Amino acid sequence: VDAQHVLGFPDDSRTYAAIPGILQEMNIKSIKLMTNNPRKIRHLKALGIQIDSRIPIVTPTNKHSEGYLKTKHHRQGHMNVGEDR
């Protein structure tokens, strides 16, 4: 996140505007979304995408990933970060 800001970018520069058209072209009416990112869920719902369920991505932390995953949780609100199944 800090690197994005130093470079003058927002926390997350991804856009999801193409997704509704892709799903419509494939005749997909709803999805099960694999994500821990609540912002992604909000963006997709705002685009009219029907999310039937969220499948969490759960990975235990290790000494290399712990700080990164904690940052995603505390600063970006990511869910299920570092939890064991």
Side-chain angles (χ1 to χ4, degrees), residues 3-66:
Q4 292 288 92
H5 292 172
V6 168
L7 294 171
F9 298 113
D11 291 357
D12 188 348
S13 298
R14 292 177 287 187
T15 63
Y16 303 100
I19 295 173
I22 293 168
L23 294 176
Q24 183 178 12
E25 182 69 27
M26 298 176 72
N27 200 31
I28 297 172
K29 306 292 184 206
S30 63
I31 62 172
K32 293 180 181 178
L33 183 64
M34 294 178 66
T35 188
N36 293 340
N37 185 342
R39 185 181 303 157
K40 185 181 294 181
I41 296 167
R42 286 192 304 273
H43 283 288
L44 293 175
K45 285 183 175 181
L47 290 169
I49 295 172
Q50 173 65 42
I51 300 173
D52 288 341
S53 64
R54 179 183 75 88
I55 302 166
I57 302 168
V58 181
T59 56
T61 60
N62 61 50
K63 67 181 181 179
H64 305 289
S65 67
E66 186 173 5

Side-chain angles (χ1 to χ4, degrees), residues 1 26 28 54-55 72-74 80:
V1 174
M26 298 176 72
I28 297 172
R54 179 183 75 88
I55 302 166
K72 288 180 80 75
H73 174 70
H74 292 295
N80 302 100

